[in-house]
Amino acid sequence: MAGLENENVQMISTKIQITSENPSPQRTDTEYDSTSTRVQPFDIESQSHIDFAPVNNQNQNNCDSLAAKEMSARKEQQSKLGGADKEKKHKKGPRPPPPPGLKDDLTTIAHVSVVIFVGLILYLCFARPFEFFTWHPLLMSVGWMLMMIEGVLFISKENPIGRRLNLGRLLKVRYHWIALTISSILVTIGFVIVVISKNNHGKEHFKSLHAIFGLIGLLGCIPALINGTVALFDVELKRYIKPALNTAIHVASGSVVVIFGGLSLILSVYTNWFKRNSDNNKYLFLLGLVTSIYILGWVVQRPMRKTLRKFFKFENI
């Protein structure tokens, strides 16, 4: 009896040892019971753990501090710019002009010469009883010498008056157009007056160089005014003519107007009207001759150089 009990105990211990060495596989969370649709519980021990890297708090703090510094630097820069803008707003008056050079002095002499010549013609207009023909030299001197020459000088870079006023290019061009428009109107009226006067006295027209040069200058005003108006009001003509070519035509035609109009004014001191009203005074003659020659030479030199540069660029247009 005792022998059987010992044998049973030995068999049970052997089974326990076998089961401990070969355990049955455990089910995962995706396995289902064959007799039931219930999902078996999740076995945590059989799953591999996912290790997340710990957040480096020091690096994050460094990034936050750099972002804060950058933000403060931007705010400081914006505050400085805002302060500079406020200082500019509080400043009054135009910027001081650059120191004048030799060309500015020569342009100033041209301004003075214009005033002297126009003043001389006005003096001669009223030196004798005023006649219908007297309107011709009066309007021509004011229109051609004063308005036209000053209109050309106004857009010149060597004009000290324009630089002191510190005007923009668009405003200069607008004043230039206004001055030359008034000049063309006065010159046209003066031309009509001399034609009527010669018809009344039965005299022939365009027999002197003074009259011929004046006629050429007057005809040159037509294209100069047309393309000058186109350039001023920005009329869309790019399909027909390029802007560079239009500018070159304007400068060339304007130069013709100034040159031939200036030559006509120079020759005006040789006319019978000038001799009669000045009583053949050689000093008044020299004053009118020198001032008119200087004005023409100084005013024409810059547009002529610009015209030549434009013509050299025609190959690339």
Side-chain angles (χ1 to χ4, degrees):
M1 201 59 188
L4 290 173
E5 290 179 357
N6 291 332
E7 186 176 354
N8 290 333
V9 170
Q10 187 176 3
M11 290 176 64
I12 292 170
S13 63
T14 302
K15 288 181 180 180
I16 293 172
Q17 185 177 1
I18 291 171
T19 55
S20 62
E21 290 178 358
N22 298 317
S24 61
Q26 296 179 356
R27 296 175 183 175
T28 61
D29 59 332
T30 58
E31 293 179 350
Y32 293 87
D33 193 355
S34 60
T35 60
S36 175
T37 59
R38 185 174 59 86
V39 179
Q40 298 297 324
F42 181 76
D43 188 2
I44 298 176
E45 295 180 356
S46 65
Q47 301 298 322
S48 60
H49 295 284
I50 300 175
D51 295 331
F52 293 95
V55 178
N56 194 339
N57 294 328
Q58 185 176 1
N59 292 337
Q60 186 174 1
N61 293 333
N62 291 336
C63 293
D64 293 340
S65 62
L66 289 174
K69 289 180 180 179
E70 186 177 358
M71 184 65 70
S72 62
R74 288 180 181 178
K75 290 182 179 179
E76 185 178 358
Q77 186 177 5
Q78 290 177 359
S79 63
K80 288 182 179 180
L81 292 175
D85 293 338
K86 290 181 180 178
E87 290 180 0
K88 289 181 180 179
K89 290 180 181 179
H90 288 300
K91 288 182 180 179
K92 296 181 179 180
R95 293 181 303 173
L102 177 61
K103 291 183 178 181
D104 295 79
D105 297 334
L106 296 176
T107 305
T108 302
I109 296 174
H111 287 300
V112 175
S113 299
V114 168
V115 174
I116 292 174
F117 185 87
V118 174
L120 174 61
I121 298 299
L122 292 178
Y123 166 75
L124 296 179
C125 287
F126 296 96
R128 289 177 177 269
F130 199 88
E131 300 175 354
F132 177 73
F133 178 82
T134 309
W135 284 106
H136 172 71
L138 190 151
L139 293 175
M140 287 295 183
S141 61
V142 174
W144 222 313
M145 181 61 77
L146 181 62
M147 299 302 299
M148 184 174 293
I149 297 300
E150 289 298 326
V152 173
L153 290 176
F154 199 83
I155 60 173
S156 175
K157 294 181 179 179
E158 294 88 13
N159 186 10
I161 298 176
R163 290 197 299 109
R164 286 185 180 276
L165 294 176
N166 197 20
L167 300 176
R169 181 181 177 277
L170 183 60
L171 197 57
K172 287 182 179 180
V173 172
R174 191 173 296 276
Y175 287 156
H176 168 78
W177 180 84
I178 292 173
L180 266 65
T181 301
I182 296 173
S183 170
S184 300
I185 294 172
L186 296 178
V187 168
T188 303
I189 296 173
F191 179 80
V192 172
I193 287 174
V194 72
V195 170
I196 295 173
S197 178
K198 284 184 175 291
N199 288 335
N200 293 337
H201 292 84
K203 295 181 179 180
E204 296 181 355
H205 299 285
F206 310 115
K207 288 295 182 180
S208 63
L209 291 177
H210 168 72
I212 294 173
F213 289 160
L215 177 62
I216 296 173
L218 181 61
L219 294 177
C221 291
I222 299 174
L225 282 175
I226 292 174
N227 51 35
T229 304
V230 169
L232 176 66
F233 293 101
D234 196 19
V235 179
E236 187 63 31
L237 293 177
K238 293 181 180 179
R239 293 177 296 176
Y240 307 102
I241 184 172
K242 293 186 177 181
L245 181 60
N246 181 65
T247 303
I249 294 173
H250 177 69
V251 174
S253 58
S255 299
V256 170
V257 173
V258 174
I259 290 173
F260 285 96
L263 291 174
S264 180
L265 289 173
I266 292 172
L267 295 176
S268 66
V269 300
Y270 293 94
T271 60
N272 294 327
W273 178 87
F274 191 94
K275 293 177 181 179
R276 183 176 65 253
N277 286 40
S278 64
D279 295 328
N280 286 325
N281 190 317
K282 61 180 180 180
Y283 297 107
L284 295 179
F285 167 78
L286 290 175
L287 182 62
L289 182 64
V290 171
T291 53
S292 58
I293 290 176
Y294 177 79
I295 293 167
L296 177 62
W298 180 248
V299 172
V300 167
Q301 53 88 23
R302 187 172 180 271
M304 288 301 295
R305 289 189 285 110
K306 188 175 182 180
T307 302
L308 293 176
R309 289 196 299 267
K310 290 291 182 180
F311 274 108
F312 280 124
K313 293 181 180 180
F314 277 175
E315 297 178 358
N316 299 326
I317 291 177

